[in-house]
DNA sequence: ACACTGCCCTGAAGGC
DNA sequence: TGCCTTCAGGGCAGTG
């Protein structure tokens, strides 16, 4: 289940191999991997072949390979290959001509001036992930579009997604004011990528546990102090997971070399139903919530309403 | 305009 | 043993 740390591990693993590399060949094995690409697979292959990759960027759970403009290579990039790993997508770096991966959907054969011939394989069991060629459009705040991408542009398909909490241009103020207006449960709001990006079910549960906030607390009921604590814990859990190479449960998430991360050993709430809370010892509870699971400690994460709401 | 539900998909795991 | 159901859940179209 790739969230920000897992996607960043993929991006940073890909970056040295793809930056400056020429896409020599494109093979689409399954068109479902192009659901977000406008137009047929043949067009995807034709438009990418011969292009050079300028950089590998990421915002939240989306990543993209910016393409050097054809002709004037000093001009700013106007197009990118946007990728989302969905539930089970993998981007793997393989030697040229490597045997097909299980669930391989798309292969890019690349030629790098230093590293030579390589293959980038997009494999995806559940086919929620996709690649697409997309236009790069200016960022409204004129800050760089994402991590690893210094230009003030972002793929159109990513432009409605909020910056992620590790982005230097992330606005804490904007988040506080959005939360103050939302009646929805804080967990639901954390999963809304237009509010804050990069957080999925695992890290939402972990950050709420660390901040001692009940997942069903209405967002607007959180005090400023609680919101600040939550934001700090979101950043802490994302950074820790990143340092450990991401979380893996079922070998669906792996880095570009096919290796799993170690963060699963560090989880305090997610997936620990019935096991003691590391803080207080009470068993972690699992509840079904918006077609997902929420895991929390019923003692440490009690619902607290401020006076104005309790009166109603 | 916002809040929320349902759907897409495959394979592993559990129940009977 | 084997079939059937359930579960995993990100993002977005569609509904209210």
């Amino acid at each position: 289940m790739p969230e920000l740390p897992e996607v960043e591990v993929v991006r940073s693993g890909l970056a040295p191999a793809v930056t400056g590399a020429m896409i020599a060949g494109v093979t689409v094995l399954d068109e479902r991997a192009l659901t977000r690409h406008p137009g047929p697979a043949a067009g995807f292959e034709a438009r990418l072949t011969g292009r050079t990759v300028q950089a590998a960027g990421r915002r939240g759970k989306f990543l993209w390979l910016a393409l050097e403009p054809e002709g004037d290579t000093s001009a700013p990039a106007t197009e990118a290959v946007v990728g989302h790993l969905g539930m089970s997508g993998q981007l793997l770096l393989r030697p040229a001509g490597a045997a097909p991966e299980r669930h391989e959907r798309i292969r890019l054969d690349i030629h790098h001036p230093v590293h030579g011939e390589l293959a980038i394989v997009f494999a995806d069991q559940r086919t929620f992930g996709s690649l697409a060629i997309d236009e790069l459009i200016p960022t409204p705040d004129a800050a760089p579009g994402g991590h690893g991408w210094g230009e003030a542009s972002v793929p159109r398909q990513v432009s409605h997604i909020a910056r992620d909490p590790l982005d230097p241009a992330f606005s804490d103020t904007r988040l506080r004011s959005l939360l103050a207006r939302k009646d929805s449960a804080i967990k639901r709001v954390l999963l809304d990528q237009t509010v804050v990006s990069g957080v999925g079910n695992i890290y939402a549960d972990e950050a709420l546990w660390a901040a001692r906030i009940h997942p069903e607390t209405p967002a607007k009921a959180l005090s400023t102090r609680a919101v600040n604590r939550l934001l700090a814990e979101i950043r802490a859990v994302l950074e820790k997971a990143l340092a450990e190479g991401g979380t893996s449960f079922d070998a669906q998430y792996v880095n570009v070399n096919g290796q799993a991360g170690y963060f699963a050993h560090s989880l305090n709430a997610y997936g620990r139903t019935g096991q003691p809370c590391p803080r207080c010892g009470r068993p972690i509870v699992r509840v079904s919530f918006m077609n997902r699971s929420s895991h929390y400690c019923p003692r440490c994460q009690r619902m607290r309403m401020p006076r104005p709401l309790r009166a109603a």
Side-chain angles (χ1 to χ4, degrees), chain A residues 57-265:
Chain A
R58 179 193 55 77
R59 175 185 295 198
K61 305 172 198 171
F62 284 88
L63 49 78
W64 61 88
L65 306 180
L67 301 170
E68 209 170 71
E70 291 171 297
D72 183 5
T73 55
S74 65
T78 59
E79 283 189 312
V81 185
V82 189
H84 196 292
L85 301 178
M87 283 293 299
S88 54
Q90 306 174 334
L91 279 167
L92 303 162
L93 211 44
R94 292 289 185 246
E101 294 291 329
R102 192 161 156 79
H103 307 303
E104 180 165 333
R105 310 294 183 197
I106 295 175
R107 177 175 294 220
L108 307 181
D109 296 304
I110 63 170
H111 174 80
H112 190 278
V114 175
H115 306 297
E117 315 291 327
L118 295 165
I120 300 170
V121 172
F122 178 66
D124 188 11
Q125 180 209 110
R126 273 165 269 187
T127 71
F128 281 14
S130 65
L131 299 184
I133 301 175
D134 196 15
E135 179 191 7
L136 287 164
I137 63 171
T139 54
D141 58 6
H147 189 68
W149 178 233
E151 302 293 323
S153 64
V154 67
R156 185 176 291 281
Q157 291 180 13
V158 185
S159 61
H160 67 293
I161 297 297
R163 291 183 178 278
D164 60 66
L166 301 187
D167 187 328
F170 182 87
S171 167
D172 293 12
T173 309
R174 174 182 176 274
L175 178 69
R176 280 191 288 261
S177 72
L178 277 176
L179 294 189
R181 289 190 274 119
K182 288 195 176 280
D183 262 323
S184 303
I186 184 60
K187 169 128 183 216
R188 173 185 287 277
V189 178
L190 287 183
L191 297 178
D192 181 347
Q193 304 295 300
T194 68
V195 174
V196 51
S197 70
V199 179
N201 205 38
I202 298 171
Y203 298 115
D205 280 0
E206 289 302 302
L208 288 167
W209 178 87
R212 304 180 188 229
I213 294 170
H214 191 289
E216 291 179 57
T217 312
K220 64 160 60 164
L222 294 172
S223 65
T224 303
R225 176 183 288 187
V227 170
N228 290 342
R229 196 169 68 232
L230 177 57
L231 189 46
E233 295 296 353
I234 292 170
R235 290 193 167 114
V237 73
L238 293 178
E239 277 166 3
K240 182 154 191 256
L242 197 45
E244 294 183 25
T247 303
S248 174
F249 299 100
D250 51 9
Q252 287 307 332
Y253 160 68
V254 292
N255 68 14
V256 294
N257 298 314
Q259 297 154 335
Y262 288 95
F263 189 74
H265 305 295

